[in-house]
Amino acid sequence: MPPFKDEHILIIAPGSQTTLAQLGLPESFTPARLHIPSRMFPAEKKGEWEPYRVREKRKEKSTITNGLHSLDSHTNTDTTMTDVGGSNGIAANGNIKGIEDDEETLYEEDVNSDEGSVYPLREGRVVDWSCFFALLNYVYNTLSPPFHTPILVITQPTWTAQDHETLTQFFFEKFKTPAFCLMDSALAVCYAYGQQSATVIDVGFEKVDVTAVSDFIAHDVGRGVAIPGCGGEGMTQRLLDLLGPQGFTWDMCEQLKRSPICEIVPPGTSLPGQATNGNHDVTNPAAVASTGATGSGPGQRHNAGAQGEAPRGPGPDTEVGEEGQNGDLGAEEENEGVLDVASIVVSGKTNEYLARKEKEKAERAANKKAAVDAANAPRQARLPNSRRDKNIFTYEERRLTEDVNEDIHNENGKRTVDGEVQDGAESKRQKTPEPAGEGVAALTDGVTAEEGDASRRQQERAARKEEKRRHRQEQAGDRDIVRREVEVGVERLMATSGGTLEAIADAVHRTILSVEEVGKRGELWDSLVILGNGSKVRGFKDALISTLTSKYLISPSSATIFTSELPSNLSTPLATGANTPQPQPHGGVPSHLGGGGSSHVNPLLLAATTASNPTLNPASALSAANGHHGGQHNAHSSHGQTPTSIKVLKIPEYFPEWKDVGYDEAAFLGAQVAAKVVFVVDQGLSKGFMTRVEYNDLGPQGIHESCL
């Protein structure tokens, strides 16, 4: 078999909402070049499918009479020459002769419409094979690969062995591919991150998949497959349940979820407006300031100060003056502003007094100006979104261009058209002189020719304007989007309040505990990967890590509870808590290690201290001497039940094209890496793909020996 080239490799990643595809491997791996909605529309013929919705569109026929384009019913030149109505193709009412009012039916593809669509994948499972095959055929024909093209398809965890065989048969029989490979999506993520062991949490549209990968092998036992109600659609439905009574629709909740104001807060975080106030029981602040009582009336004095045992000083924010020389409180404040001229003159310090007053006046003016500037200065600190009671997002409502234009025409169109007609008629009456008396017959021919030319030019300009308007409608630009601002309360912070994070955390815990190699569980807890388009909601990943930490993480210092029971000749065991008691033979344990002596050492402590030094455990030594090695199979140094640390894998930085778009579609990146290794570097030596010859010999069942 000739070697495959990078530019001939085809990668397809089917998804419940979007299918990713790309032909060729670039020098530096990039995100998928083709994003196609995973939907098809039934065609007129039963069993056939179309990629877009085909709808009818009524369009007026455009005929040409005497070189002039026909116009719609709104165009009127308002010509009143009744005696020359038959000349130059212009009727008495100013319309063009020969205009047909019939409408022709056109069929166009509506690329934005989702009405009547069929999605072949639901929660990752194939529910309509005919539609799914049509989708794959459309993707293949869109990229139009050459004949000698190997194909790699990323599979979903929900696909069964029979589904793999069905896909293999379809690609070999339909496209005559020379090589075909199926790759698990979780394994592709490990290829993208360059890790041989990881726990992959894929948050999709309607489900969440949790997979434990150890040494590039996905563990099927205990795998969290298609956890329902935890994906992006589950968050949208939760917002709809909360905001539906306020008039929100599904589309509004979906756009709210995608907006920056929708945020996932960790469990236990108090929402805005729900924070507790320490003075909520205080009903009389004056009583608190004076006597310490929380309110008026009997039974309000609950502390010693309020009951008279200790004198209380002035309360907070109480203004206290100073006594004057004669014992009067605030005597200087009472005499402020009174000028004793006689004492100033007698003292002979008039100039000094005036200078001091001017200085005080300037200082007061400066302080007043500073206070005004400080009050008018903008606030530097702004409340974050999670602490605001309400916030606003922009809702975009997509509507058909015809409906938008119809609304605009109903509101302003009639007035605008009438104004144009009136202006045109007025201008024509100004330009057309009224012939007097016996000169009417002589001027008829000249006026008719002039009016015919002016009408023709105006008709042509109106026809070009109408053609441009229809072209803009066909392009479906921004005119079919209606934007408006919508205010949302604290419901925007409650998208996962229905137990979504707790369900995902439980699935992660069960999946890791299902790994048979107990020593690998700690590594899996320290290698979490959270990805998927459903995890793009602001704060989702941090909230999930916070949930896992609060539910399952234990402190490493918790294993030191047995320190006080350690014998003096043994060192402190490591804070892992992972060692379990080993079965003890009868009569073979010395007394100083708990074998019937007076020390009575805790058996858990014995296992924890002797695991690092097997010679201290006579049970294991005796077992090894007798040739029984089964007890050593479960010996490990990490915690097997509950983790002591939870970490997220660092995102690789050697793919600059992926930094801007994010790694939520990292499975496609891993598929590119695997395709490079399997098809180009390895070229089938490690049975990474199935060839055409193997398919002819083994049939579709042979894919199980070659898929990744």
Side-chain angles (χ1 to χ4, degrees):
M1 178 183 295
F4 298 110
K5 297 182 179 180
D6 293 350
E7 57 270 18
H8 293 166
I9 298 176
L10 176 61
I11 302 176
I12 302 177
S16 298
Q17 289 294 301
T18 305
T19 296
L20 311 180
Q22 180 172 301
L23 177 61
L25 298 178
E27 183 177 354
S28 179
F29 297 142
T30 61
R33 299 176 182 175
L34 184 63
H35 290 69
I36 297 179
S38 301
R39 67 188 182 192
M40 298 297 288
F41 296 84
E44 293 184 359
K45 187 177 180 180
K46 187 177 181 180
E48 296 183 357
W49 302 88
E50 297 288 345
Y52 301 110
R53 177 176 178 265
V54 179
R55 63 186 183 92
E56 296 182 358
K57 181 180 179 181
R58 297 290 182 176
K59 183 178 180 181
E60 296 181 358
K61 291 184 179 180
S62 177
T63 58
I64 299 178
T65 304
N66 295 335
L68 301 178
H69 291 274
S70 64
L71 305 175
D72 52 12
S73 58
H74 295 293
T75 305
N76 192 338
T77 58
D78 199 20
T79 304
T80 57
M81 298 296 180
T82 58
D83 52 346
V84 292
S87 60
N88 294 329
I90 304 227
N93 57 358
N95 294 331
I96 304 175
K97 290 183 178 180
I99 294 180
E100 298 181 5
D101 296 333
D102 297 338
E103 295 182 350
E104 57 181 348
T105 302
L106 300 180
Y107 295 93
E108 64 177 4
E109 293 181 344
D110 191 351
V111 296
N112 297 322
S113 177
D114 197 35
E115 181 181 356
S117 61
V118 177
Y119 286 84
L121 296 177
R122 291 292 183 184
E123 296 183 355
R125 300 180 177 88
V126 182
V127 296
D128 193 327
W129 280 102
S130 175
C131 182
F132 187 49
F133 289 154
L135 175 64
L136 295 176
N137 189 26
Y138 172 69
V139 173
Y140 187 90
N141 294 333
T142 301
L143 295 174
S144 185
F147 181 76
H148 192 67
T149 299
I151 301 176
L152 186 147
V153 177
I154 301 178
T155 63
Q156 296 290 332
T158 55
W159 292 359
T160 62
Q162 185 178 359
D163 296 339
H164 293 177
E165 297 175 6
T166 303
L167 282 175
T168 302
Q169 182 179 0
F170 172 76
F171 276 96
F172 275 108
E173 298 293 340
K174 180 69 175 180
F175 305 122
K176 311 298 181 183
T177 177
F180 181 69
C181 176
L182 292 177
M183 186 175 189
D184 190 274
S185 59
L187 185 59
V189 173
C190 292
Y191 271 78
Y193 278 78
Q195 293 287 332
Q196 61 180 2
S197 299
T199 303
V200 182
I201 307 172
D202 188 359
V203 185
F205 177 65
E206 296 176 322
K207 47 86 179 180
V208 174
D209 297 321
V210 182
T211 307
V213 180
S214 177
D215 296 332
F216 292 111
I217 298 176
H219 292 266
D220 294 331
V221 178
R223 187 176 190 178
V225 177
I227 305 173
C230 296
E233 177 65 13
M235 303 180 200
T236 305
Q237 290 295 333
R238 179 57 180 169
L239 292 175
L240 184 60
D241 295 340
L242 297 173
L243 298 173
Q246 302 180 20
F248 277 67
T249 61
W250 182 92
D251 187 54
M252 296 176 66
C253 294
E254 178 69 17
Q255 294 190 28
L256 171 62
K257 183 190 69 176
R258 298 171 182 264
S259 66
I261 71 170
C262 181
E263 186 174 355
I264 307 301
V265 296
T269 304
S270 59
L271 299 178
Q274 298 181 0
T276 58
N277 186 5
N279 297 329
H280 65 279
D281 294 330
V282 177
T283 59
N284 191 344
V288 176
S290 59
T291 63
T294 58
S296 303
Q300 302 296 331
R301 298 173 180 252
H302 305 291
N303 52 38
Q307 295 174 1
E309 297 181 5
R312 293 180 58 88
D317 301 331
T318 303
E319 296 183 0
V320 181
E322 298 180 357
E323 294 185 358
Q325 297 179 356
N326 299 329
D328 297 334
L329 181 63
E332 295 182 0
E333 286 78 4
E334 295 180 0
N335 297 330
E336 184 179 2
V338 179
L339 184 61
D340 191 357
V341 180
S343 60
I344 296 175
V345 173
V346 172
S347 62
K349 298 180 180 180
T350 306
N351 295 333
E352 297 177 3
Y353 178 81
L354 294 177
R356 182 166 57 86
K357 287 295 183 182
E358 290 294 335
K359 184 179 179 180
E360 293 176 357
K361 183 178 180 181
E363 291 177 356
R364 287 194 299 269
N367 294 336
K368 184 177 180 180
K369 182 179 180 182
V372 172
D373 295 340
N376 296 333
R379 296 181 179 179
Q380 298 295 333
R382 298 182 59 185
L383 289 176
N385 175 63
S386 59
R387 297 180 58 186
R388 295 185 181 183
D389 293 340
K390 296 181 179 180
N391 211 336
I392 298 176
F393 81 103
T394 302
Y395 169 60
E396 296 182 355
E397 182 181 4
R398 291 186 174 274
R399 301 174 59 186
L400 291 177
T401 308
E402 291 80 357
D403 298 339
V404 177
N405 292 337
E406 183 178 357
D407 295 341
I408 297 175
H409 176 72
N410 293 336
E411 294 178 1
N412 302 324
K414 184 176 181 180
R415 176 176 54 82
T416 304
V417 171
D418 293 342
E420 292 178 356
V421 172
Q422 292 176 2
D423 294 341
E426 183 179 357
S427 61
K428 291 180 183 301
R429 286 193 294 269
Q430 292 177 356
K431 293 181 180 180
T432 305
E434 296 182 1
E438 54 189 19
V440 173
L443 296 177
T444 300
D445 296 336
V447 172
T448 302
E450 182 180 356
E451 288 294 332
D453 295 340
S455 300
R456 186 181 301 108
R457 290 192 296 270
Q458 187 175 3
Q459 299 281 356
E460 292 176 353
R461 287 195 298 269
R464 289 194 296 270
K465 184 178 179 180
E466 177 68 15
E467 188 67 23
K468 291 180 180 180
R469 184 183 67 83
R470 292 178 179 176
H471 179 70
R472 287 195 300 268
Q473 291 181 359
E474 294 176 357
Q475 294 297 328
D478 293 338
R479 294 183 60 185
D480 62 344
I481 300 178
V482 180
R483 297 181 176 89
R484 57 190 177 96
E485 293 184 349
V486 181
E487 188 179 47
V488 190
V490 295
E491 293 85 0
R492 70 187 189 279
L493 308 176
M494 304 169 61
T496 58
S497 59
T500 300
L501 297 177
E502 290 77 6
I504 299 176
D506 293 341
V508 173
H509 185 249
R510 291 194 304 269
T511 300
I512 296 180
L513 287 184
S514 300
V515 177
E516 296 180 357
E517 299 181 17
V518 184
K520 292 288 185 179
R521 297 176 184 176
E523 184 180 358
L524 294 175
W525 278 112
D526 292 337
S527 305
L528 298 181
V529 180
I530 305 174
L531 75 163
N533 291 327
S535 64
K536 289 183 177 180
V537 182
R538 182 180 179 184
F540 179 84
K541 297 179 181 180
D542 295 337
L544 180 57
I545 295 298
S546 177
T547 304
L548 288 170
T549 302
S550 61
K551 293 190 65 174
Y552 303 110
L553 184 66
I554 62 173
S555 175
S557 60
S558 62
T560 61
I561 58 176
F562 302 123
T563 305
S564 60
E565 303 180 15
L566 285 174
S568 59
N569 60 340
L570 295 178
S571 60
T572 303
L574 297 178
T576 60
N579 302 285
T580 56
Q582 302 293 335
Q584 306 293 336
H586 297 284
V589 181
S591 59
H592 72 280
L593 291 178
S598 59
S599 60
H600 300 288
V601 179
N602 193 316
L604 292 176
L605 176 63
L606 174 65
T609 54
T610 58
S612 58
N613 192 358
T615 58
L616 297 178
N617 193 339
S620 60
L622 181 62
S623 177
N626 294 334
H628 300 289
H629 301 282
Q632 296 295 328
H633 177 72
N634 293 328
H636 55 88
S637 59
S638 64
H639 201 275
Q641 302 296 327
T642 306
T644 57
S645 65
I646 297 177
K647 299 178 182 179
V648 179
L649 279 181
K650 184 180 179 181
I651 298 177
E653 299 179 354
Y654 38 82
F655 297 107
E657 292 82 3
W658 286 82
K659 290 183 179 180
D660 297 334
V661 299
Y663 285 81
D664 294 303
E665 298 176 352
F668 195 85
L669 172 61
Q672 296 180 72
V673 177
K676 179 75 173 182
V677 174
V678 172
F679 291 122
V680 179
V681 179
D682 185 70
Q683 295 186 3
L685 295 179
S686 59
K687 301 288 291 182
F689 60 87
M690 187 178 187
T691 63
R692 180 73 185 181
V693 176
E694 294 173 346
Y695 175 78
N696 294 334
D697 294 340
L698 303 176
Q701 294 80 9
I703 192 63
H704 303 303
E705 301 178 2
S706 303
C707 62
L708 298 177

